[in-house]
Amino acid sequence: MTESVLESGRAVLAEYADLERRLADPAVFADQALVRTLNKRYAALGPTVAAYRAVESAEGDLAAAHELAAEDASFAAEVPTLEETADAAREHLRHLLVPRDPDDDRDVILEVKAGEGGEESALFAGDLLRMYLRYAEKRGWRADVTDATESDLGGYKDVRLSLKAKGSPQPGEAPWALLKFEGGVHRVQRVPVTESQGRIHTSAAGVLVMPEVEESDVMAQVDPHDLRVDVYRSSGPGGQSVNTTDSAVRITHLPTGIVVSCQNEKSQLQNKEAALRVLRARLHQAAREQAEAEASAARRSQVRTVDRSERIRTYNFPENRVSDHRTGFKAYNLDQVLDGELDAVIGSCVEADEQARLAAVAGA
């Protein structure tokens, strides 16, 4: 194993020990947000620490077998098996030490927006919403619709979801680690309910995924004077009033021009808090993209315009087929995918991402 890998492993051990020390300090528990952050990081490092210790154990056994082989032939016979065990342990550790997305342990805010295709696109946006709700249910996540604009036929012009894991998920199991690959344009091919001639139409909906951040992460960098807060009366489909007070909130971040609206909560304060959560996520995402661009290492996966030509996935109803155009994944179980069975298609994206990271490390 290279010295750089061992050095990375020792750095993880040191950080893990420091987290144990901090979490054992009663004074830390006065700040519950800090405790949550420390616990998430502690859980994320656990498998790497275990893998490093497994390497130490395997290499110790192998060294002992080599030393005793000169005196006892039975130990020499164990050497090949112990070498295989040590090699497997080293490879596992190397895999875990590949640089991860620093946001992989975060929850997400996910938005679905209807694009080309009119009412059919809005109906498809509703299908995608239900797909993600079912996926969250299967994962045991908490899912809340925080804002929505419905269409006349029961679809959605746009809808926003908050998806939160319960407890401290294992590495690679948190909402952002899995759903970040959903960002982009999703295309549907089917006969719309509005089509009287039975012709297959193509339409699209856009999905935006952002890691949700704690208030302490970025709000310290946001000057309240940079925010313009407008209040108005929330309304339902067709402009029908659903609230007799000015409870809906629109926040504009003046330096960036980012605008966030929220009207689904019952009070103005609740809507303002929900809008601020989305604003924090958007500012964080913007900072991520700027940093990646400056480092010339951006692997842009999210498409900002809902254009059918810029698609990441196609849902073909006549063939019951789902195809991911980034990984080449294809399956003929579209009905199950729309019922939340997303593990296989998301897994193809996770695997492709891991291979790219491993290749980058090998070529460095």
Side-chain angles (χ1 to χ4, degrees), residues 205-218:
V207 176
L208 302 178
V209 190
M210 300 167 287
E212 184 165 356
V213 295
E214 299 288 343
E215 182 175 354
S216 58
D217 288 334
V218 295

Side-chain angles (χ1 to χ4, degrees), residues 59-313:
E59 291 185 339
D61 291 344
L62 180 59
H66 277 299
E67 184 178 341
L68 296 170
E71 302 175 6
D72 189 335
S74 64
F75 286 102
E78 293 181 12
V79 168
T81 300
L82 291 173
E83 286 179 338
E84 290 180 5
T85 300
D87 286 343
R90 295 186 195 105
E91 179 61 26
H92 181 54
L93 176 61
R94 188 177 74 87
H95 187 271
L96 290 176
L97 287 173
V98 170
R100 296 173 58 230
D101 184 334
D103 288 326
D104 269 356
D105 299 324
R106 295 187 186 274
D107 298 320
V108 305
I109 293 173
L110 183 149
E111 299 179 359
V112 183
K113 298 178 179 292
E116 296 182 10
E119 278 294 341
E120 165 61 7
S121 178
L123 290 171
F124 179 51
D127 292 336
L128 292 177
L129 168 65
R130 285 184 285 275
M131 178 180 76
Y132 292 125
L133 288 173
R134 290 287 291 137
Y135 181 67
E137 181 183 345
K138 294 174 188 293
R139 283 269 164 187
W141 298 339
R142 176 183 171 183
D144 296 306
V145 176
T146 60
D147 200 45
T149 303
E150 296 184 23
S151 68
D152 293 336
L153 295 182
Y156 289 91
K157 296 178 181 178
D158 58 76
V159 59
R160 183 186 304 138
L161 275 175
S162 169
L163 297 162
K164 295 179 177 291
K166 296 179 181 178
S168 298
Q170 291 296 308
E173 297 294 317
W176 173 256
L178 296 170
L179 291 177
K180 62 184 174 183
F181 302 107
E182 294 302 292
V185 173
H186 297 238
R187 185 178 71 164
V188 62
Q189 296 172 324
R190 64 183 175 187
V191 178
V193 294
T194 55
E195 169 59 51
S196 60
Q197 303 298 318
R199 293 172 297 184
I200 295 175
H201 286 222
T202 298
S203 60
V207 176
L208 302 178
V209 190
M210 300 167 287
E212 184 165 356
V213 295
E214 299 288 343
E215 182 175 354
S216 58
D217 288 334
V218 295
M219 279 309 285
Q221 305 169 25
V222 178
D223 187 338
H225 294 96
D226 289 339
L227 303 179
R228 186 177 73 233
V229 180
D230 301 307
V231 296
Y232 58 98
R233 292 189 179 183
S234 57
S235 60
Q240 191 175 25
S241 177
V242 296
N243 202 324
T244 56
T245 61
D246 293 336
S247 62
V249 173
R250 181 188 302 108
I251 298 178
T252 303
H253 185 245
L254 299 175
T256 62
I258 294 175
V259 179
V260 180
S261 301
C262 191
Q263 64 174 7
N264 272 32
E265 304 295 341
K266 294 182 178 179
S267 73
Q268 186 182 118
L269 178 61
Q270 290 173 319
N271 279 321
K272 182 178 180 181
E273 290 175 348
L276 283 172
R277 283 172 52 207
V278 177
L279 177 62
R280 289 196 295 269
R282 289 187 177 173
L283 290 173
H284 181 78
Q285 184 72 351
R288 274 177 58 97
E289 292 173 356
Q290 181 179 351
E292 289 174 352
E294 289 174 352
S296 298
R299 291 174 296 151
R300 191 173 179 83
S301 61
Q302 299 202 43
V303 180
R304 298 304 182 196
T305 57
V306 186
D307 180 341
R308 285 187 302 225
S309 66
E310 299 179 286
R311 62 190 184 279
I312 65 164
R313 191 175 299 153

